[in-house]
Amino acid sequence: MAQVTFEEISASDFFYRNRDIAGFTNPSRAIFAAVRELVENSLDAAESLKIPPDIYVRLSYEEEASRETQVYRLRVEDNGIGVPPRHIPSAFGQVLFGSKYKLKQQRGTFGLGGKMAILYGQITTHQPAIVISSTGMSKIYMYKLMIDIQRNRPIILDRKVLINKERWRGTIVEFCLEGDYLRAMPKILEYFKQTAMVNPYANLTFVDPKGRLYKFTRVTKEMPDPPKETLPHPYGVDVELLQRLIHVTPYKNMLEFLRNHFHRVGEITARKFLEFANISPSKKPKKLSHQEIVRLMHMLKKFKGFLPPDANCLSPLGEELLRAGIVKELKPDFVAVHQRKPSTYAGHPFIVEVGIAYGGEIPKKGSFVIYRFANRIPLLYDEASDVSVKVINAMNWRRYKVTPDMPIAILVHVCSTKIPYKTVGKEFIADRPEVRREIANGLREVARQIQRFLTKREHVDREKRRLGVFSRYLPKIAQFSTKLAGREKPPDVKKLLRSVRKFGAEGT
Amino acid sequence: MGQKEHKASIIERKKEVTTSLENLGLKIYEQMEKGYFPSIEMPSRSTENIYYDPNFRQFILGDRKVRRTARNIRHIRPFTQLVWAAFFSHELATQRKTSTLRDVYYSAQAYEMSFKDQQESNNIITDLETILGFSREDFNIFPEERSAVFGDLTIEYTVPGYEGKTLNLTSHPDGVMIGPALTSSEFVETSANKVIAIEKGGLFTRFIEENVHKKFNAILVLTAGQAPRATRHFIRRLNRELNLPVYIFTDGDPWGMHIAMVIISGSANAAHLRELTTPDAKWSGVWATDIVNYKLPTDPLDEVDIKRLYELQRDPRYKDPLWQREIKTFLKIKRKAEQEAFSRYGLTYIVDEYLPAKLEETK
Ligand SMILES: Nc1ncnc2c1ncn2[C@@H]1O[C@H](COP(=O)(O)OP(=O)(O)OP(=O)(O)O)[C@@H](O)[C@H]1O
Ligand SMILES: [Mg+2]
């Protein structure tokens, strides 16, 4: 009989073994994911202070690793909030440690991304990572770290404290990793371009291993309001969350418990709910049995009396910035943007923003160019599975005079405290009916706007063509008839051409 | 016997043509001068407007008119092409040059007036014919296909370089090509008292070899299949100007029959034109009844032949008893014969026996 051994594995071990789900599938995906995770951390860090981000990314070639992969050094610098020195080792050396577990819209959610990148670098190159950070106070801290995978703990190899004369604030992360830049390049460049599109207030600089410089310059210093933290909405809770809340709550009865831990629950609503659920308001939360907790969760979902979640914990881009971003990156002839009113799915507030653009630098490729974003992160993989793409494909675009041979780009941005991602790799959004409906309604609105533009343009084009035809032939008629008639001077066709322009002639 | 009464007719007609072209130009010019979009009215050539006129014994256009106006975006291109074509014809006339439909198509390109295809440029020339009532040969535009003539007729050229020069049409044993120079020449004199038109080149040559022109006092015309317009006009002039009766010999099938009919009564395609028909010309053979009477070697009629016969049976041009009788006979015997079929009785049989009999019969 085979011996079965049981062992507990640490979080970092777990993700190390399952790095696929975090997006580190192969050498090309890995290098893309590393860049992306660090850039997103930097954007979060700047935005939480409402500072227009300045992010510098450098990828430099170190040495040959195998036939197809090379070792690169990745360095990302930002002007964000910085990491307090005591948190630096854990923030960069302990998986599932992060500051973004609260309920507000942010790019980071899992406490994983940056570490996966560092972990991947460490596994492939056996070299430590360097983190330099300052919160803008008098000192700068420099750490040289490695991750103890088995124990999910940072190993500090070196630590330096520098005097911050210039009061620099920000974070620099640098480490080596193995990857295949040549294959990753198109996605990485696309990632920067799309990031610039939905972050028009950011300066992004990228220097690639060949020394090529890609610069995406901000067009505005306007930034959306940073999101506020919020309590969970009763429709969105699960047993796990309830148990955690019960564990930490200082409140001694169910009425207070509900009033203080949930979003949009006041005294009256709480009482009504407890009556509905047949739970005594004075019941002690900590006395709830496991079965009672499960039942509570079900009742919370069933009760119709809760107000929908408030969306001020969300930070959509806003129509103006969205337009600025699209214009900046695509230079289209026409753009329409639309922000939907906040909505919710399963107790999570979300807002859909959409845009449609025509012409300019948008290629004609026989199908629409689709840009998908979630909390201002471009989603570049698994397009076909994404809910936006399903909605776009299901729409009857001909009704709006839009055909796939046109240079059309469609942009969908979903922001939420909880994006319904299908995977930890954050690549595509699941098909939720509520989300689908909002995307569809938003697209219909911008479709109507582009229809008006296309109709008008068609009209102008037709007029131009008409005038072209008349100005081509009328002078010839004048010329030949003059010769036939034996006259010297041809009749003046200007007046006739003017009348074509003014009234249009019959027939089309 | 030669008549000179039409001596000036060719030159006069040329003058008429140039004047009408100029007037067309002037009309358009004046409309534009007054600040109007120029427009032209012309008889419609759609099938609903084509009638057979028993008096004229040819197809004519009805009263329905169409208006081409430069104000309409769909018209302006053909309108411009039309004005160009008028201009181009006028140039040809004044410079005394000739050209072909193919030339017209290519010449347009020099004026940035390119036509989509040959068909488009042909249509424009037909428009011009319809508006002015002259045929394209009058505009010095000639077809590619050429037919020939042989016989004792003296003509006088009017084409540049040959003005005043005369030629007797027996001077070349292959016959003389009916081209622009011949078409535009005056008839000086003839000893002939009839015209014999022949469908096929082989028989035309045989007739010359057998001295048919002498034996029968005839001018021989080779139509080379369906007679081109210039040839139809030429036959008409022989008939009108020289008072010569015209006899037509074709193959004994619906197609040969129709070659004769188009010389006699014209085609629907030329309903807008006059002076292409010779209503008094006779179809002398090969008839269906000849096939029976002369016991000619035959081929069976195929499906298209029969379909064509039924069409002809309903055609107003074929209402005469003779034509109806022949159509019926074809349909009855379901056979057809070529002119060469007479060779079964020896090479000269057709000249010695058949021809005199038929000339007599259709006198
Ligand atoms: N450039 C930075 N500036 C400031 N803080 C940072 C920076 N990078 C990382 N952090 C801190 O480190 C924590 C861990 O980052 P990490 O990328 O591992 O997880 P996350 O961003 O919280 O979640 P996710 O897994 O979705 O990326 C963050 O929550 C943040 O507090
Ligand atoms: Mg992160």
Side-chain angles (χ1 to χ4, degrees), chain A residues 36-69:
Chain A
R36 176 187 141 162
E37 291 295 347
L38 294 198
V39 169
E40 268 151 30
N41 284 348
S42 292
L43 285 168
D44 275 346
E47 276 173 29
S48 62
L49 276 186
K50 217 182 170 183
I51 315 161
D54 269 312
I55 299 172
Y56 173 87
V57 181
R58 193 185 66 204
L59 198 58
S60 42
Y61 173 78
E62 288 283 296
E63 63 188 19
E64 207 66 27
S66 73
R67 194 124 55 83
E68 269 139 37
T69 59

Short mmCIF file of all heavy atoms in Angstrom, two decimals, chain A residues 36-69:
data_model
loop_
_atom_site.label_atom_id
_atom_site.label_comp_id
_atom_site.label_asym_id
_atom_site.label_seq_id
_atom_site.Cartn_x
_atom_site.Cartn_y
_atom_site.Cartn_z
N ARG A 36 3.77 44.30 -15.52
CA ARG A 36 2.42 44.77 -15.23
C ARG A 36 2.15 44.87 -13.72
O ARG A 36 1.61 45.86 -13.24
CB ARG A 36 1.45 43.80 -15.89
CG ARG A 36 0.03 44.11 -15.60
CD ARG A 36 -0.87 43.03 -16.13
NE ARG A 36 -1.91 42.84 -15.14
CZ ARG A 36 -3.06 42.22 -15.39
NH1 ARG A 36 -3.27 41.72 -16.58
NH2 ARG A 36 -3.95 42.10 -14.46
N GLU A 37 2.55 43.88 -12.97
CA GLU A 37 2.28 43.90 -11.54
C GLU A 37 2.98 45.08 -10.86
O GLU A 37 2.41 45.77 -10.02
CB GLU A 37 2.70 42.58 -10.87
CG GLU A 37 1.85 41.38 -11.25
CD GLU A 37 0.39 41.49 -10.77
OE1 GLU A 37 0.09 42.37 -9.95
OE2 GLU A 37 -0.44 40.68 -11.23
N LEU A 38 4.22 45.31 -11.27
CA LEU A 38 4.96 46.41 -10.62
C LEU A 38 4.39 47.77 -11.04
O LEU A 38 4.28 48.68 -10.23
CB LEU A 38 6.45 46.32 -10.95
CG LEU A 38 7.18 45.09 -10.39
CD1 LEU A 38 8.69 45.34 -10.39
CD2 LEU A 38 6.74 44.75 -8.97
N VAL A 39 4.05 47.91 -12.30
CA VAL A 39 3.49 49.19 -12.75
C VAL A 39 2.17 49.46 -12.04
O VAL A 39 1.89 50.58 -11.62
CB VAL A 39 3.31 49.20 -14.29
CG1 VAL A 39 2.48 50.39 -14.73
CG2 VAL A 39 4.66 49.21 -14.99
N GLU A 40 1.37 48.41 -11.88
CA GLU A 40 0.09 48.62 -11.21
C GLU A 40 0.25 49.00 -9.74
O GLU A 40 -0.46 49.86 -9.23
CB GLU A 40 -0.78 47.36 -11.33
CG GLU A 40 -1.64 47.49 -12.56
CD GLU A 40 -2.00 46.16 -13.17
OE1 GLU A 40 -2.10 45.16 -12.44
OE2 GLU A 40 -2.17 46.14 -14.40
N ASN A 41 1.22 48.39 -9.09
CA ASN A 41 1.50 48.81 -7.72
C ASN A 41 1.90 50.27 -7.67
O ASN A 41 1.48 51.03 -6.80
CB ASN A 41 2.63 47.96 -7.12
CG ASN A 41 2.14 46.56 -6.74
OD1 ASN A 41 0.94 46.31 -6.71
ND2 ASN A 41 3.08 45.67 -6.43
N SER A 42 2.70 50.69 -8.64
CA SER A 42 3.15 52.08 -8.67
C SER A 42 1.99 53.04 -8.93
O SER A 42 1.89 54.10 -8.32
CB SER A 42 4.22 52.27 -9.75
OG SER A 42 5.40 51.57 -9.37
N LEU A 43 1.12 52.66 -9.86
CA LEU A 43 -0.04 53.52 -10.14
C LEU A 43 -0.92 53.64 -8.91
O LEU A 43 -1.34 54.75 -8.52
CB LEU A 43 -0.85 52.94 -11.30
CG LEU A 43 -0.25 53.11 -12.70
CD1 LEU A 43 -0.99 52.24 -13.71
CD2 LEU A 43 -0.27 54.56 -13.14
N ASP A 44 -1.17 52.53 -8.24
CA ASP A 44 -1.95 52.55 -7.00
C ASP A 44 -1.30 53.47 -5.97
O ASP A 44 -1.98 54.26 -5.32
CB ASP A 44 -2.05 51.14 -6.39
CG ASP A 44 -3.20 50.33 -6.99
OD1 ASP A 44 -4.07 50.94 -7.66
OD2 ASP A 44 -3.23 49.10 -6.78
N ALA A 45 -0.01 53.35 -5.89
CA ALA A 45 0.72 54.11 -4.86
C ALA A 45 0.63 55.61 -5.12
O ALA A 45 0.56 56.41 -4.18
CB ALA A 45 2.18 53.67 -4.83
N ALA A 46 0.63 56.03 -6.37
CA ALA A 46 0.54 57.46 -6.67
C ALA A 46 -0.90 57.93 -6.55
O ALA A 46 -1.18 59.00 -6.02
CB ALA A 46 1.08 57.74 -8.07
N GLU A 47 -1.81 57.13 -7.02
CA GLU A 47 -3.21 57.56 -7.03
C GLU A 47 -3.80 57.66 -5.64
O GLU A 47 -4.66 58.50 -5.39
CB GLU A 47 -4.06 56.59 -7.86
CG GLU A 47 -4.00 56.94 -9.33
CD GLU A 47 -4.69 55.90 -10.18
OE1 GLU A 47 -5.63 55.24 -9.69
OE2 GLU A 47 -4.26 55.73 -11.33
N SER A 48 -3.33 56.82 -4.72
CA SER A 48 -3.92 56.91 -3.38
C SER A 48 -3.60 58.25 -2.73
O SER A 48 -4.25 58.63 -1.79
CB SER A 48 -3.46 55.73 -2.52
OG SER A 48 -2.06 55.79 -2.39
N LEU A 49 -2.61 58.96 -3.24
CA LEU A 49 -2.32 60.31 -2.74
C LEU A 49 -2.85 61.38 -3.70
O LEU A 49 -2.67 62.56 -3.48
CB LEU A 49 -0.81 60.51 -2.62
CG LEU A 49 -0.12 60.03 -1.36
CD1 LEU A 49 1.33 60.46 -1.38
CD2 LEU A 49 -0.80 60.59 -0.12
N LYS A 50 -3.47 60.94 -4.76
CA LYS A 50 -3.93 61.85 -5.82
C LYS A 50 -2.77 62.66 -6.42
O LYS A 50 -2.87 63.84 -6.66
CB LYS A 50 -5.06 62.76 -5.34
CG LYS A 50 -6.07 62.99 -6.46
CD LYS A 50 -7.22 63.92 -6.08
CE LYS A 50 -7.99 64.23 -7.38
NZ LYS A 50 -9.07 65.17 -7.21
N ILE A 51 -1.65 61.96 -6.60
CA ILE A 51 -0.50 62.59 -7.27
C ILE A 51 -0.47 62.04 -8.69
O ILE A 51 -0.54 60.83 -8.86
CB ILE A 51 0.84 62.17 -6.63
CG1 ILE A 51 0.76 62.22 -5.11
CG2 ILE A 51 2.00 63.01 -7.15
CD1 ILE A 51 1.85 61.40 -4.45
N PRO A 52 -0.35 62.90 -9.71
CA PRO A 52 -0.21 62.35 -11.07
C PRO A 52 1.02 61.45 -11.14
O PRO A 52 2.13 61.89 -10.85
CB PRO A 52 -0.02 63.59 -11.95
CG PRO A 52 -0.58 64.71 -11.16
CD PRO A 52 -0.37 64.36 -9.70
N PRO A 53 0.85 60.19 -11.51
CA PRO A 53 1.96 59.25 -11.46
C PRO A 53 3.07 59.56 -12.47
O PRO A 53 2.80 59.97 -13.59
CB PRO A 53 1.32 57.90 -11.81
CG PRO A 53 -0.15 58.10 -11.70
CD PRO A 53 -0.40 59.55 -11.93
N ASP A 54 4.31 59.35 -12.02
CA ASP A 54 5.48 59.39 -12.90
C ASP A 54 6.15 58.05 -12.72
O ASP A 54 6.70 57.77 -11.66
CB ASP A 54 6.47 60.47 -12.43
CG ASP A 54 6.20 61.80 -13.10
OD1 ASP A 54 6.05 61.80 -14.34
OD2 ASP A 54 6.13 62.82 -12.38
N ILE A 55 6.09 57.24 -13.76
CA ILE A 55 6.62 55.88 -13.59
C ILE A 55 7.67 55.60 -14.65
O ILE A 55 7.48 55.90 -15.83
CB ILE A 55 5.48 54.85 -13.66
CG1 ILE A 55 4.48 55.14 -12.53
CG2 ILE A 55 6.03 53.43 -13.54
CD1 ILE A 55 3.23 54.34 -12.59
N TYR A 56 8.77 55.09 -14.19
CA TYR A 56 9.89 54.80 -15.07
C TYR A 56 10.17 53.31 -15.00
O TYR A 56 10.38 52.76 -13.91
CB TYR A 56 11.11 55.61 -14.62
CG TYR A 56 12.38 55.28 -15.34
CD1 TYR A 56 12.70 55.92 -16.54
CD2 TYR A 56 13.27 54.33 -14.83
CE1 TYR A 56 13.88 55.61 -17.22
CE2 TYR A 56 14.44 54.01 -15.49
CZ TYR A 56 14.74 54.66 -16.69
OH TYR A 56 15.90 54.36 -17.35
N VAL A 57 10.15 52.65 -16.16
CA VAL A 57 10.38 51.20 -16.19
C VAL A 57 11.57 50.93 -17.09
O VAL A 57 11.63 51.43 -18.21
CB VAL A 57 9.14 50.46 -16.75
CG1 VAL A 57 9.38 48.96 -16.76
CG2 VAL A 57 7.90 50.81 -15.94
N ARG A 58 12.52 50.16 -16.57
CA ARG A 58 13.65 49.81 -17.41
C ARG A 58 13.86 48.31 -17.38
O ARG A 58 13.87 47.69 -16.31
CB ARG A 58 14.91 50.51 -16.95
CG ARG A 58 16.03 50.42 -17.99
CD ARG A 58 17.30 51.03 -17.46
NE ARG A 58 17.79 50.24 -16.32
CZ ARG A 58 18.58 50.74 -15.37
NH1 ARG A 58 18.96 52.00 -15.40
NH2 ARG A 58 18.99 49.97 -14.39
N LEU A 59 13.99 47.74 -18.55
CA LEU A 59 14.26 46.31 -18.64
C LEU A 59 15.59 46.19 -19.35
O LEU A 59 15.74 46.69 -20.47
CB LEU A 59 13.14 45.66 -19.47
CG LEU A 59 12.95 44.16 -19.37
CD1 LEU A 59 12.70 43.73 -17.93
CD2 LEU A 59 11.78 43.72 -20.25
N SER A 60 16.61 45.60 -18.66
CA SER A 60 17.90 45.53 -19.35
C SER A 60 18.39 44.09 -19.40
O SER A 60 18.11 43.28 -18.52
CB SER A 60 18.93 46.44 -18.67
OG SER A 60 18.82 46.31 -17.27
N TYR A 61 19.10 43.83 -20.45
CA TYR A 61 19.58 42.48 -20.72
C TYR A 61 20.77 42.17 -19.82
O TYR A 61 21.71 42.96 -19.72
CB TYR A 61 19.98 42.41 -22.19
CG TYR A 61 20.64 41.13 -22.57
CD1 TYR A 61 19.90 39.97 -22.78
CD2 TYR A 61 22.03 41.07 -22.74
CE1 TYR A 61 20.51 38.80 -23.14
CE2 TYR A 61 22.66 39.90 -23.10
CZ TYR A 61 21.89 38.75 -23.29
OH TYR A 61 22.51 37.59 -23.65
N GLU A 62 20.75 41.02 -19.19
CA GLU A 62 21.86 40.63 -18.33
C GLU A 62 22.72 39.56 -18.98
O GLU A 62 23.91 39.73 -19.18
CB GLU A 62 21.33 40.11 -16.99
CG GLU A 62 20.75 41.18 -16.10
CD GLU A 62 21.84 42.02 -15.41
OE1 GLU A 62 22.60 41.46 -14.60
OE2 GLU A 62 21.93 43.24 -15.69
N GLU A 63 22.08 38.42 -19.30
CA GLU A 63 22.84 37.33 -19.90
C GLU A 63 21.91 36.30 -20.52
O GLU A 63 20.71 36.30 -20.28
CB GLU A 63 23.71 36.63 -18.83
CG GLU A 63 22.85 35.99 -17.76
CD GLU A 63 23.69 35.46 -16.60
OE1 GLU A 63 24.84 35.88 -16.46
OE2 GLU A 63 23.17 34.62 -15.86
N GLU A 64 22.50 35.42 -21.29
CA GLU A 64 21.75 34.33 -21.92
C GLU A 64 21.38 33.33 -20.82
O GLU A 64 22.21 33.01 -19.97
CB GLU A 64 22.68 33.66 -22.94
CG GLU A 64 21.97 32.99 -24.07
CD GLU A 64 21.24 33.97 -24.96
OE1 GLU A 64 21.65 35.16 -25.06
OE2 GLU A 64 20.26 33.55 -25.57
N ALA A 65 20.15 32.82 -20.83
CA ALA A 65 19.77 31.82 -19.85
C ALA A 65 19.63 30.45 -20.51
O ALA A 65 20.22 29.48 -20.07
CB ALA A 65 18.46 32.20 -19.17
N SER A 66 18.89 30.39 -21.56
CA SER A 66 18.77 29.15 -22.32
C SER A 66 18.67 29.56 -23.78
O SER A 66 18.88 30.71 -24.12
CB SER A 66 17.52 28.38 -21.90
OG SER A 66 16.38 29.05 -22.40
N ARG A 67 18.32 28.59 -24.64
CA ARG A 67 18.26 28.92 -26.06
C ARG A 67 17.22 30.01 -26.34
O ARG A 67 17.42 30.87 -27.17
CB ARG A 67 17.94 27.65 -26.87
CG ARG A 67 18.18 27.79 -28.34
CD ARG A 67 19.14 26.74 -28.86
NE ARG A 67 18.68 25.39 -28.53
CZ ARG A 67 17.77 24.71 -29.27
NH1 ARG A 67 17.27 25.25 -30.35
NH2 ARG A 67 17.43 23.50 -28.92
N GLU A 68 16.09 29.93 -25.61
CA GLU A 68 15.03 30.89 -25.90
C GLU A 68 14.87 31.99 -24.86
O GLU A 68 14.20 32.97 -25.11
CB GLU A 68 13.69 30.15 -26.01
CG GLU A 68 13.38 29.73 -27.43
CD GLU A 68 12.78 28.33 -27.47
OE1 GLU A 68 12.00 28.01 -26.57
OE2 GLU A 68 13.13 27.58 -28.39
N THR A 69 15.47 31.80 -23.68
CA THR A 69 15.23 32.79 -22.64
C THR A 69 16.52 33.49 -22.24
O THR A 69 17.62 32.96 -22.39
CB THR A 69 14.60 32.15 -21.40
OG1 THR A 69 15.50 31.15 -20.94
CG2 THR A 69 13.26 31.54 -21.73
#
